[in-house]
Amino acid sequence: MKTSIYNCNVIELPKIHNRAGNITPLHGGIEIPFDIQRIYYLYDVPGGETRGGHAHKTLHQLIVAASGSFEVTLNDGSIKKTVTLNRPNFGLYITPGIWRDLHNFSSGAVLLVLASHLYDENDYIREYSDFLLYKK
Ligand code: TYD
């Protein structure tokens, strides 16, 4: 898909505040612009480690720092942008066709991904050279 990083944005999520803690409820197609078929989370990432160097052909994703912080670098083949996520009531929406790198994880960070489709290895573009060809 020929999307650009300008199609990706940080979305403020609802926060139900209570003196004993907060709740952020999310529903596919309501707070986030796609239906959710899969949730996964990354945790216990060793200091200095980088993950997620790939793009997807059809997958829409919302990435949330459920705990701690990390940076997401988005690249559409022309322009790069780095977003810091560090609050559980903000999520980064990533359209299909965007290369993403995940880095600078704080200790104890939990990276939550809400995804529009089930896991499918055929949806991945794992080689950067293939990604640039795909974006032409
Ligand atoms: P991958 O998406 O390549 O992670 P990263 O890009 O952050 O390194 O996934 C790593 C492994 O986990 C890969 O072998 C596929 C497997 N995996 C699943 O089985 N289901 C999933 O939903 C995800 C995200 C990964």
Side-chain angles (χ1 to χ4, degrees):
M1 219 191 249
K2 306 289 178 204
T3 57
S4 90
I5 59 168
Y6 298 115
N7 302 115
C8 303
N9 54 320
V10 174
I11 299 175
E12 183 166 5
L13 306 170
K15 178 159 101 173
I16 302 169
H17 177 70
N18 185 295
R19 61 171 182 77
N22 302 320
I23 295 178
T24 292
L26 299 176
H27 309 81
I30 299 181
E31 296 85 0
I32 59 178
F34 55 86
D35 284 331
I36 303 161
Q37 283 202 29
R38 175 169 53 115
I39 294 173
Y40 66 92
Y41 37 100
L42 279 177
Y43 52 98
D44 290 347
V45 178
E49 198 59 68
T50 294
R51 295 203 59 137
H54 61 246
H56 285 278
K57 297 172 195 164
T58 60
L59 193 74
H60 296 251
Q61 305 159 78
L62 185 87
I63 298 188
V64 177
S67 184
S69 65
F70 48 80
E71 291 178 344
V72 184
T73 298
L74 304 174
N75 176 353
D76 61 14
S78 307
I79 303 168
K80 280 188 189 180
K81 176 170 84 171
T82 296
V83 176
T84 301
L85 291 175
N86 54 15
R87 284 183 285 178
N89 65 317
F90 285 83
L92 174 62
Y93 170 53
I94 306 180
T95 54
I98 301 291
W99 188 271
R100 62 163 174 81
D101 289 297
L102 311 169
H103 47 98
N104 282 347
F105 286 84
S106 69
S107 120
V110 178
L111 182 152
L112 179 66
V113 182
L114 311 185
S116 63
H117 292 88
L118 304 183
Y119 175 76
D120 175 8
E121 186 58 36
N122 293 323
D123 193 60
Y124 280 74
I125 305 170
R126 292 197 181 272
E127 292 296 331
Y128 190 66
S129 54
D130 293 341
F131 173 67
L132 292 178
L133 284 175
Y134 182 77
K135 295 299 278 188
K136 274 198 174 162

